């Protein structure tokens, strides 16, 4: 027995709307960034349609106008959902500022929201080593790095991040970074973590994004390498005596590892 029933006309109308929406999507149509008044945003543990999500943004987000411009620009990109959660990016910038970081690493730039966000709070002689393999994504945000006047603080490296991290290590930059944000291909997250641990100083912070992976970590499927990889790193971090950790249910889950 159904819990509630709807008039036949409403059911038919809703089904037609659904078909029209799906047909639009298949035809490559982009829908507006605002759905039911809630900003389209990336993965988030708190549902994006939850009024609490809007409340959090309304009561905590202090976004630089150029960051906002980049967020809205990215929201209309077909892969806009990959962008870091803006409240989480704000926490990253607050941490970077708190520890008076000068050298930071971003693994997985996409359109560069978090890169810009960190560059904005770094001192004028600070540096973000920004790693990505896809220049097309980065090109979207690059003009805004310039507009914000922080382009000179961003050292963009377009190649596999593992290669960039190895080059930094080979160049004698071990234990010279203050902060690292890991947010690229999940299959490599353990390797990124190990290399960042060598690059970051004692007292520095490594932030690992998507550690809850939309809840998939609860039941990692054997054939799902990304989830397996995240889950193994989560298990390892729990027992890793080289760091203190906090796992925060923010965005899609972020673990902060404080190097001892
Ligand atoms: C989730 S997005 C990053 C989001 C970004 N941190 C932000 O602030 O919005 C992941 C990015 O990782 C990049 N990526 C994937 N595999 C990579 C690799 N092997 N090396 C470097 N970047 C990679 C992708 O091109 C993509 O831009």
């Amino acid at each position: 027995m159904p819990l509630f029933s709807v008039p036949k006309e409403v059911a038919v109308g809703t089904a037609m709307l659904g078909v029209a929406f799906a047909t639009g999507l298949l035809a490559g149509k982009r829908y507006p960034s605002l759905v039911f008044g809630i900003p389209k945003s990336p993965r988030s543990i708190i549902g994006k349609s939850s009024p609490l999500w809007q409340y959090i943004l309304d009561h905590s987000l202090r976004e630089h106008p150029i960051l906002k411009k980049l967020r809205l620009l990215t929201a209309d990109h077909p892969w806009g959902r990959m962008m870091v959660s803006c409240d989480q990016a704000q926490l990253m910038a607050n941490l970077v500022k708190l520890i008076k970081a000068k050298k930071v690493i971003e693994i997985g730039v996409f359109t560069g929201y978090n890169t810009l966000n960190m560059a904005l709070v770094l001192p004028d002689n600070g540096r973000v080593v920004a790693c990505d393999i896809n220049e097309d994504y980065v090109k979207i945000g690059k003009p805004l790095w310039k507009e914000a006047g922080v382009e000179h603080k961003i050292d963009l490296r377009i190649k596999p991040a593992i290669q960039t991290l190895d080059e930094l290590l080979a160049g004698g930059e071990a234990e010279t970074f203050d902060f690292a944000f890991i947010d690229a291909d999940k299959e490599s997250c353990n390797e990124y973590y190990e290399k960042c641990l060598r690059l970051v100083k004692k007292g520095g912070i490594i932030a690992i994004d998507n550690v809850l992976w939309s809840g998939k970590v609860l039941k990692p499927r054997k054939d799902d390498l990304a989830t397996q990889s995240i889950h193994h790193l989560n298990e390892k971090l729990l027992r890793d005596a080289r760091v203190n950790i906090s796992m925060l249910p923010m965005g899609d889950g972020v673990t902060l590892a404080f190097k001892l």
Side-chain angles (χ1 to χ4, degrees):
M1 191 123 149
L3 282 177
F4 60 89
S5 59
V6 289
K8 196 173 148 202
E9 300 74 27
V10 174
V12 170
T14 308
M16 282 171 68
L17 267 176
V19 170
F21 185 76
T23 311
L25 278 183
L26 286 174
K29 180 169 169 41
R30 289 193 199 153
Y31 291 94
S33 302
L34 289 174
V35 179
F36 309 126
I38 312 272
K40 192 163 100 183
S41 109
R43 292 165 190 269
S44 171
I45 293 301
I46 296 185
K48 281 163 261 165
S49 52
S50 161
L52 264 182
W53 168 249
Q54 187 64 60
Y55 185 89
I56 290 169
L57 296 189
D58 288 348
H59 294 83
S60 71
L61 195 63
R62 298 178 181 179
E63 206 175 33
H64 187 287
I66 301 179
L67 269 179
K68 182 175 180 185
K69 199 166 158 185
L70 181 52
R71 175 166 59 85
L72 296 177
L73 193 66
T74 305
D76 282 330
H77 188 277
W79 288 100
R81 196 167 170 267
M82 284 210 294
M83 197 191 87
V84 67
S85 188
C86 47
D87 55 332
Q88 186 191 326
Q90 182 169 296
L91 173 64
M92 299 305 112
N94 283 335
L95 289 171
V96 165
K97 217 170 163 183
L98 178 76
I99 64 171
K100 299 186 170 54
K102 275 197 176 157
K103 278 175 77 177
V104 307
I105 306 172
E106 169 98 1
I107 304 179
V109 176
F110 187 41
T111 60
Y113 185 90
N114 198 52
T115 300
L116 171 59
N117 176 57
M118 295 199 295
L120 282 165
V121 297
L122 282 176
D124 204 51
N125 61 351
R127 175 164 72 118
V128 187
V129 175
C131 314
D132 209 291
I133 42 171
N134 189 323
E135 196 155 21
D136 289 340
Y137 294 154
V138 182
K139 270 187 198 157
I140 298 170
K142 242 176 142 184
L144 298 184
W145 298 349
K146 193 168 182 193
E147 191 179 331
V150 295
E151 197 187 29
H152 62 288
K153 299 186 206 171
I154 301 172
D155 173 2
L156 178 65
R157 314 257 183 124
I158 300 290
K159 60 179 84 167
I162 294 285
Q163 205 177 314
T164 299
L165 300 178
D166 282 340
E167 284 167 8
L168 294 171
L169 286 166
E173 296 198 59
E175 306 236 352
T176 65
F177 285 85
D178 304 286
F179 188 91
F181 185 61
I182 301 177
D183 189 17
D185 52 313
K186 305 306 162 191
E187 291 80 357
S188 307
C189 61
N190 183 54
E191 263 187 286
Y192 294 145
Y193 170 67
E194 286 299 332
K195 289 185 194 296
C196 286
L197 201 56
R198 291 175 60 198
L199 286 163
V200 165
K201 299 173 182 166
K202 284 192 172 65
I205 303 173
I206 301 169
I208 305 145
D209 198 18
N210 306 107
V211 293
L212 299 177
W213 205 228
S214 306
K216 286 189 200 161
V217 286
L218 290 176
K219 248 189 183 180
R221 281 194 351 233
K222 286 210 172 77
D223 60 343
D224 180 349
L225 294 182
T227 309
Q228 288 280 352
S229 172
I230 295 167
H231 178 59
H232 285 144
L233 181 56
N234 289 342
E235 298 228 304
K236 169 172 140 174
L237 282 169
L238 177 63
R239 293 172 189 83
D240 192 340
R242 299 171 294 176
V243 290
N244 280 335
I245 57 166
S246 286
M247 184 187 265
L248 310 178
M250 187 177 227
D252 190 27
V254 57
T255 292
L256 302 178
F258 304 90
K259 185 170 171 180
L260 297 171

